[in-house]
Every structure is written in structure tokens, then in C-alpha cells.
Amino acid sequence: MLTPLLDLMQTLPTFVYLIPVLVLFGLGMVPGLVATVIFAMPAAIRLTELGIRSTPTALSEAATAFGATTMQRVFKVELPWAFPQIMAGLNQTIMLSLSMVVIAGLVGAPGLGVPVVRALNSVNAALGFESGAVIVAVAIMLDRMLRVEAKT
């Protein structure tokens, strides 16, 4: 049941689900936040599920054979095994959130998207490139901070 909902959240154009949110909450921070969460969360959920499902069957069976409960198996075997995929999901969530800052700025949310919206309103290419470069720099810094190096 969750898969079609995640598909819908990822494929529906942002402005389509932004309309009812704007009607419910008006302009400001809340619609930008709701749109960002709807747009960015499916990546984290899908990659976490992928990581847990990729746990080797033998590893799960061994944990069960040694008397691990379902919760112990999840928290001590499957989640540690899925950690690289979970971190990739977090990274993708952050990148997708940063891609939404301009749309959030269009609906009145404060933040990094406001200077881009100002540049659009004033047709100021220099301010637009400068603002876009700042968003890209923040994305690159966060990507490098959250990168999980492979253990050899």
C-alpha cells in the first residue's frame, strides 16, 4: 500500500500538491515545508527499505537461530547492514530538499530560495547565479559531510 503512495509523491508535479496546501495554510513557511517533505521523503523511505531487504538471508537466519527477537534482529542486524543505504537516503533527502528551496520561496517561505525569487522578480541574472551558486555550495558541503566511505 505504501509503494503507490510513494510513487504518487515522487511523480506528482510539485505545484499540483502545493495548491491544496496553499488553500489550507496560506502563504508562508508551512506550505513550503509540506511541499518539501512530500517531495523529499520518498527517497529516504525507499532507500531504507532497500537496505533492510538487502540483508542476507543467512545473516537474518543466524540472528534468529541465536535467539534474537524480531526487534533485536531489526535493530542489531538489519539496520546496521542497511546503514550505507540509509545514509544515501538521507543524502538524497537533503539534496531534494535543497532543490525545493526556490519553490518554497515562491510561496513565501523564508530561506535560501528568497534571493532566487527576488532575482526572478527583478530579472537580475547576476543575483540569480549568485544565489544558485550558494545553494549548490551548501548542497556540495552537506553531501561531503554525509558521505559514507566504503570499508575495505
Side-chain angles (χ1 to χ4, degrees), residues 78-112:
E78 293 174 353
L79 285 178
W81 182 267
F83 183 72
Q85 287 89 352
I86 293 170
M87 290 305 292
L90 177 64
N91 188 337
Q92 287 302 304
T93 300
I94 291 171
M95 296 304 129
L96 290 168
S97 298
L98 284 171
S99 73
M100 285 293 292
V101 296
V102 175
I103 293 174
L106 286 171
V107 296
L112 291 172

Side-chain angles (χ1 to χ4, degrees), residues 42-103:
I45 294 168
R46 285 180 186 273
L47 284 167
T48 301
E49 178 194 15
L50 174 68
I52 290 173
R53 286 184 188 266
S54 70
T55 304
T57 307
L59 192 60
S60 292
E61 289 175 355
T64 304
F66 282 110
T69 64
T70 303
M71 294 302 286
Q72 287 174 329
R73 192 177 70 239
V74 168
F75 285 106
K76 295 184 183 257
V77 176
E78 293 174 353
L79 285 178
W81 182 267
F83 183 72
Q85 287 89 352
I86 293 170
M87 290 305 292
L90 177 64
N91 188 337
Q92 287 302 304
T93 300
I94 291 171
M95 296 304 129
L96 290 168
S97 298
L98 284 171
S99 73
M100 285 293 292
V101 296
V102 175
I103 293 174

